[in-house]
Amino acid sequence: MRWLGPWVMALLVAFAGCSATDAQEPRAAVTSPTVGAVLSSPAPAPAVPSPVPTPEPAPPTPAPIVVLDPGHNGGNAAHPEVVNAPVPDGAGGTKPCNTTGTATNAGYPEHAFTWDVALRMRDRLTAAGVTVVLTRQDDAGVGPCVDVRGQLAGQVGAAAFVGIHGDGAATVGRGFHVITSSLAPGGPDVAARSSALAIAVRNAMTAVEPVSDYVGSNGVNPRRDLAGLNLNQVPAVYVECGNMRNATDAALMSGADGRDAIAAQLTAGVLAFLGR
Ligand code: ZN
């Protein structure tokens, strides 16, 4: 390179500088909407390209939480001293901690039905991206009391609470119904959401079981005597999935296929309520 004079070397250095500048231009063109105007201007000062901002990733949407409350418990009948103890009913009075529940005429107990349906719902909701919290962990324990069950959903920040039951009405009555608290314990907005949850569950359940022909109105029945609903601060319903004393309902509720169909429709109703 010795034969190149200083003038030539200066040109080479200048050319190398232009090349570096050219390599940066496309980034400036992408980030600046006024680049056309800049390029047509006679002598703009070379702009230092701004760092390209990295978009912040959107925070992940937390999975909604749903509390499932399988009614009663397998050990309740053996421990009346526990389940008969009075607890707050959420309406200014008291009621027993829990009850043994009903059964079909053939002896299939409500606590076993509610536990089985809850597990089937849990699996379906979990697969759909919902976090499920159960009010009891097996079907051999005692309680928990209805006031404890009714406060769990608020404590864990649940989007919905679904109590699962089977009714023990006169044998002629058939069908399911959904219960809400008529006391609006979480205020009018939560009460409206509870009604929406009840309608969503009612609509889904009609695919597997007719609405009750003996209680409520078109499958929905507000009440003021259920602590598990009165103490709830989130959208909450009880579902009496059928009348276990009615032969037709009992046949559906006693079979695994029937319980699976009920769980599928309850899940569909909950997911519809959640908008998922
Ligand atoms: Zn029950």
Side-chain angles (χ1 to χ4, degrees):
M1 303 273 288
R2 187 172 301 165
W3 62 89
L4 297 175
W7 185 80
V8 174
M9 288 300 289
L11 270 183
L12 286 174
V13 170
F15 184 74
C18 283
S19 295
T21 303
D22 290 343
Q24 293 168 359
E25 283 295 336
R27 288 207 293 275
V30 167
T31 55
S32 171
T34 60
V35 65
V38 170
L39 289 175
S40 62
S41 299
V48 177
S50 302
V52 177
T54 304
E56 290 291 329
T61 304
I65 300 170
V66 170
V67 169
L68 298 181
D69 178 31
H72 317 283
N73 205 333
N76 283 5
H79 291 278
E81 79 285 1
V82 175
V83 296
N84 289 336
V87 298
D89 67 358
T94 63
K95 68 184 310 178
C97 156
N98 214 184
T99 55
T100 57
T102 188
T104 67
N105 289 338
Y108 179 59
E110 181 187 357
H111 65 78
F113 167 80
T114 67
W115 178 243
D116 185 79
V117 170
L119 294 185
R120 295 173 188 274
M121 284 186 73
R122 177 195 63 185
D123 292 348
R124 283 180 164 81
L125 287 168
T126 301
V130 175
T131 298
V132 173
V133 176
L134 295 168
T135 57
R136 57 182 168 102
Q137 302 310 311
D138 56 47
D139 193 36
V142 182
C145 298
V146 285
D147 59 327
V148 172
R149 297 178 190 240
Q151 295 173 83
L152 180 61
Q155 292 164 352
V156 301
F161 169 100
V162 179
I164 304 161
H165 288 264
D167 207 2
T171 57
V172 293
R174 192 190 167 202
F176 78 94
H177 64 283
V178 186
I179 305 169
T180 57
S181 173
S182 59
L183 299 181
D189 291 345
V190 173
R193 296 281 288 159
S194 291
S195 294
L197 175 60
I199 297 299
V201 169
R202 189 273 313 275
N203 290 349
M205 273 290 287
T206 54
V208 70
E209 172 82 342
V211 298
S212 172
D213 59 13
Y214 63 90
V215 66
S217 173
N218 197 17
V220 178
N221 185 38
R223 287 168 59 170
R224 55 167 291 136
D225 62 322
L226 296 171
L229 296 179
N230 291 343
L231 293 166
N232 245 296
Q233 298 296 309
V234 310
V237 297
Y238 276 1
V239 186
E240 296 282 8
C241 298
N243 177 13
M244 298 189 80
R245 297 291 185 184
N246 175 274
T248 305
D249 284 1
L252 176 75
M253 300 167 81
S254 299
D257 288 350
R259 292 193 297 273
D260 205 54
I262 289 170
Q265 294 311 313
L266 292 175
T267 301
V270 171
L271 291 177
F273 169 75
L274 295 175
R276 297 176 71 90

